[in-house]
Amino acid sequence: MNTPTTRTRDGADTEWWREAVIYQIYPRSFADSDGDGIGDLPGIIARLDHLVALGVDALWLSPFYPSPQADAGYDVADYRDVEPIFGRLADADRLITEAHDRGLRVVVDLVPNHTSSAHAWFVEALAAAPGSPARDRYVFRDGRGPDGAEPPNSWRSVFGGPAWTRTDNPDGTPGQWYLHLFDAGQPDLNWDNPQVRDEFVDILRFWLDRGVDGFRVDVAHGLVKQADLADWHYPEETTSGDHVEQPRPPMWDQDGVHEIYRQWRAVLDAYPGEQILVAEAWVQPAERLAAYVRPDEMHQAFNFEYLEAAWSAEAQRTVIERSLAAASAVGAPTTWVLSNHDVLRHATRLALPVGTPRPNGIGTDDPQPDTALGLRRARAATLLMLALPGSAYLYQGEELGLPEHTTLPDEVRQDPTWRRTGHTQRGRDGCRVPIPWEADSPSYGFGPTDASWLPQPPVWAEYALDRQVDVPGSTYEMYRTALRLRHELGLGGGELRWMESPDDVLAFRIGSGAGAEADSGAGSDSDSDSGAREVIVVTNLSAGPVALPPGTELVHASGPLTATGQVPTDVTAWARQRR
Ligand code: TEU
């Protein structure tokens, strides 16, 4: 196995990212310091101790850069500053310092596939003539048809509608079209243009110089397009890049992207410390995704195949095995993720009938998921995930067991998907609702006033952090204990070994170093006596309760065991060999 090496500030090879638990902060919705109803960087700083208490290793911040917010900040107008609604550049600096002071690493979001239409380059491109260098930084083309009135090709936006918008010439006549795989306010950059490449190297350095520990790379599979921009015939009903069909669509996962990441890796490696690149790439199968994390490219890639896996023992086992094999073939750590700002929260998703496709948002007139079932499965899924080797990503609010907001009034929806699909797909607002911190405060403690950019449902009081701290069995305390044990026992660096188990039950041993050798009686460290550093994980996806393996005792569980000490349906238990 080919293991890349990295250096820390003090010269040690810690490779923190191989087993890190990284917490995603969506700045609009985390904590609001000034009462305008939108979260901000000072708000995050004031809540950093929550992350320390929870026990994560790092945080990843979704974009906080100047932006018209056509796609909640994923439309960046200036990559080297802070959007005034989120604060100032000095706040970003302070956030990095304060996080570091608490032992937390900071990963920022880099959006290289597209800029905002308000970016100076795009404004310049619109004012420039067809064929000009300013236009060459983007993907401008003449339209098809007699008057160029048809889009240049058949591509569709991930958010619905055509992936092209026609421009007006300075004299008011219709002009060329520009490509946008997302919203019209997010024109795609032309990555064949050397200026674009130089600019992003410079942006990387700008944030590295400010002390960030890494970059989550947005739409990492989209930067390079097939040169001929060939038409693509979409299978029925497929407008998103989430599911890659065969043959590969001409706008996703082109081989040319890898050269870009090799260049970026060299930029990062020239800095002291261990900064990482994380690919947000909706690429399947796992082997194809693994190409993004070869030793000279990125460090990690989000494992969306895992996120999408059905809640069945077979699907879970298969995706775990495939993920581990694909990542280890290139010497990279596996990552695990169940929720983020783009998908239904897993406490709601897992309540949907097993095997149904993941809907893009849920609204009042849709069937309403069973909240209790969803939470029960979400807790079981989380405890399974946090025992797996590799790095795990958490999304703000999942540690409270937050469900999706499934009854948002349609008129408050802000995801461009809702508008661009002609009100057929509700989109992602339901997972972006501001976090409840205190049950009895205005906006549940999100900010000093009642203001909240998306309305919080009354049920948020039940989920508020202050209702869960020190409450045995609360979702928050379940996460906290799991993260503490995972850290103490080194589970993230452990080796997974499947055990015999009844049908529809997952069972495996996970242990680090000495503990993993416990079966053979090896292990000589003081705390490595037989099995002490090994956990036996049982996730019961069958219809009835199952016994823990003989000779084991319970360490942690996602829900109460039965009166006779069995693991009920939709519960994960962590046990250890009885001594
Ligand atoms: O998402 C990329 C992407 O293709 C999907 O996550 C997509 O947004 C989703 O499937 C729609 O259902 C990234 C960001 O995570 C997302 O928030 C941005 O909107 C998008 O890029 C554009 O920057």
Side-chain angles (χ1 to χ4, degrees):
M1 193 166 82
N2 196 346
T3 309
T5 57
T6 46
R7 287 140 292 145
T8 58
R9 289 187 175 92
D10 58 8
D13 290 345
T14 66
E15 300 199 324
W16 64 275
W17 41 276
R18 287 190 172 270
E19 43 189 284
V21 176
I22 303 179
Y23 182 100
Q24 179 187 0
I25 291 183
Y26 194 66
R28 294 179 77 78
S29 303
F30 190 65
D32 175 20
S33 72
D34 56 13
D36 65 355
I38 302 178
D40 46 45
L41 302 187
I44 297 170
I45 295 169
R47 294 282 185 189
L48 281 176
D49 288 335
H50 169 63
L51 304 193
V52 176
L54 183 61
V56 300
D57 303 295
L59 54 105
W60 147 40
L61 295 156
S62 279
F64 50 76
Y65 316 109
S67 159
Q69 307 287 311
D71 182 24
Y74 281 94
D75 47 323
V76 180
D78 178 355
Y79 291 83
R80 297 180 186 80
D81 206 346
V82 170
E83 163 63 36
I85 58 178
F86 297 136
R88 295 172 307 133
L89 192 54
D91 296 318
D93 289 338
R94 196 159 63 86
L95 172 45
I96 294 166
T97 307
E98 297 247 357
H100 286 168
D101 287 350
R102 289 167 174 80
L104 296 166
R105 314 237 181 190
V106 179
V107 173
V108 294
D109 218 305
L110 185 74
V111 188
N113 181 67
H114 42 264
T115 68
S116 162
S117 53
H119 190 284
W121 275 5
F122 194 72
V123 174
E124 191 188 335
L126 283 184
S132 60
R135 288 210 168 178
D136 188 59
R137 295 182 187 127
Y138 293 90
V139 186
F140 280 86
R141 292 288 184 280
D142 293 331
R144 292 200 285 206
D147 307 314
E150 299 296 321
N153 71 19
S154 69
W155 297 6
R156 296 187 204 154
S157 155
V158 171
F159 298 154
W164 297 90
T165 291
R166 193 165 196 186
T167 62
D168 290 328
N169 293 318
D171 65 2
T173 56
Q176 285 192 302
W177 299 69
Y178 68 90
L179 177 69
H180 52 87
L181 291 179
F182 295 89
D183 190 65
Q186 296 168 296
D188 278 56
L189 285 162
N190 170 20
W191 276 87
D192 289 334
N193 184 316
Q195 276 183 35
V196 171
R197 296 200 179 217
D198 292 349
E199 175 71 359
F200 274 85
V201 165
D202 202 68
I203 294 164
L204 287 173
R205 292 198 175 117
F206 178 86
W207 289 103
L208 288 166
D209 290 343
R210 306 193 97 80
V212 303
D213 301 286
F215 301 89
R216 175 265 189 192
V217 180
D218 190 61
V219 198
H221 58 317
L223 277 53
V224 173
K225 281 79 181 174
Q226 196 172 294
D228 59 1
L229 303 185
D231 271 340
W232 175 246
H233 302 287
Y234 290 83
E236 270 316 287
E237 299 298 315
T238 300
T239 55
S240 96
D242 295 6
H243 301 283
V244 177
E245 307 84 8
Q246 293 297 330
R248 230 173 15 260
M251 68 295 270
W252 304 121
D253 193 29
Q254 301 296 302
D255 291 337
V257 295
H258 296 290
E259 186 188 321
I260 298 168
Y261 305 135
R262 278 187 212 110
Q263 185 190 13
W264 291 4
R265 177 63 177 256
V267 171
L268 265 65
D269 282 352
Y271 274 73
E274 290 183 278
Q275 295 82 5
I276 64 166
L277 294 167
V278 186
E280 191 240 4
W282 289 86
V283 169
Q284 292 183 15
E287 294 72 29
R288 191 83 205 161
L289 183 64
Y292 288 75
V293 290
R294 288 176 288 195
D296 59 347
E297 296 194 36
M298 302 218 196
H299 299 74
Q300 295 184 340
F302 287 103
N303 187 347
F304 293 128
E305 195 171 339
Y306 177 70
L307 183 151
E308 305 232 302
W311 187 239
S312 78
E314 195 198 341
Q316 295 287 321
R317 192 192 326 253
T318 305
V319 73
I320 291 169
E321 280 172 359
R322 285 170 56 91
S323 308
L324 290 171
S328 101
V330 290
T334 332
T335 67
W336 311 102
V337 61
L338 289 166
S339 281
N340 66 32
H341 66 295
D342 287 332
V343 299
L344 281 190
R345 282 184 173 277
H346 66 286
T348 296
R349 193 175 69 238
L350 293 173
L352 303 174
V354 173
T356 49
R358 164 169 66 81
N360 192 358
I362 292 179
T364 0
D365 48 5
D366 292 318
Q368 293 296 306
D370 175 342
T371 313
L373 176 69
L375 181 57
R376 180 182 179 83
R377 288 183 177 166
R379 290 171 54 128
T382 295
L383 218 52
L384 167 61
M385 173 175 88
L386 290 178
L388 294 172
S391 172
Y393 278 81
L394 305 180
Y395 175 49
Q396 66 180 36
E398 67 168 84
E399 76 278 25
L400 306 176
L402 282 192
E404 185 85 1
H405 192 334
T406 55
T407 55
L408 271 176
D410 287 338
E411 54 280 9
V412 304
R413 293 188 184 280
Q414 301 204 13
D415 184 351
T417 305
W418 176 235
R419 175 176 41 84
R420 291 191 58 91
T421 60
H423 299 169
T424 57
Q425 289 189 37
R426 290 217 149 73
R428 304 160 292 172
D429 294 303
C431 63
R432 300 175 174 180
V433 176
I435 297 299
W437 297 93
E438 291 130 25
D440 300 319
S441 299
S443 63
Y444 305 108
F446 167 60
T449 65
D450 270 331
S452 172
W453 71 279
L454 286 173
Q456 301 163 295
V459 74
W460 252 212
E462 280 170 36
Y463 294 93
L465 177 66
D466 69 347
R467 289 272 172 95
Q468 301 198 38
V469 173
D470 293 334
V471 174
S474 71
T475 302
Y476 169 74
E477 292 297 344
M478 184 202 85
Y479 268 78
R480 217 152 75 101
T481 303
L483 290 168
R484 179 176 55 77
L485 289 170
R486 177 188 160 90
H487 193 250
E488 282 173 13
L489 302 174
L491 301 185
E495 191 193 334
L496 179 152
R497 289 166 299 145
W498 294 107
M499 298 167 71
E500 293 267 327
S501 59
D503 283 353
D504 300 321
V505 175
L506 297 174
F508 59 86
R509 293 170 185 277
I510 174 91
S512 63
E517 302 299 324
D519 281 351
S520 57
S524 49
D525 297 350
S526 53
D527 64 347
S528 66
D529 49 322
S530 184
R533 289 174 61 79
E534 183 182 71
V535 167
I536 292 150
V537 179
V538 176
T539 300
N540 183 5
L541 296 105
S542 75
V546 293
L548 286 172
T552 64
E553 62 190 6
L554 190 69
V555 177
H556 193 28
S558 67
L561 300 198
T562 66
T564 56
Q566 295 201 310
V567 184
T569 304
D570 291 331
V571 167
T572 294
W574 290 7
R576 70 172 160 226
Q577 214 68 47
R578 206 176 276 129
R579 277 174 282 159

